[in-house]
Amino acid sequence: MSQEPAAAPDRQPLDDTAATSVRKYAADQRARVDVLASVLEDIAANGYPSPESGVPWEVARDAHLAHLADGEPRVA
């Protein structure tokens, strides 16, 4: 193996709109990961929540589907 670092690939700059979209997506993904990390930290510190305090999956599913139906239109 060579000890030389691999050459960086050529990159095409993004226009301002595309760069803004990528930054927004990155921020959204970071927020989602932060929420997941906080839930896992809570479970590690306090244990699993009791089943009685949870939401039935049907209710969660229906709420999520309603949220998707009211959201921005998406391209398939």
Side-chain angles (χ1 to χ4, degrees), residues 1 7 11 13 17 19 22 24-25 29-30 32-33 37-38 43 46-47 50 54 74 76:
M1 266 181 138
R11 295 185 177 216
T17 304
V22 170
K24 182 182 181 310
Y25 180 75
Q29 293 302 308
R30 188 173 291 117
R32 293 174 119 194
V33 170
S38 68
I43 290 171
N46 303 309
S50 68
R74 303 195 192 286

Side-chain angles (χ1 to χ4, degrees), residues 15-60:
D15 62 30
D16 290 339
T17 304
T20 300
S21 294
V22 170
R23 286 186 188 101
K24 182 182 181 310
Y25 180 75
D28 291 344
Q29 293 302 308
R30 188 173 291 117
R32 293 174 119 194
V33 170
D34 287 345
V35 169
L36 174 61
S38 68
V39 168
L40 294 174
E41 288 170 352
D42 180 68
I43 290 171
N46 303 309
Y48 290 113
S50 68
E52 294 80 26
S53 68
V55 176
W57 74 269
E58 295 92 345
V59 173

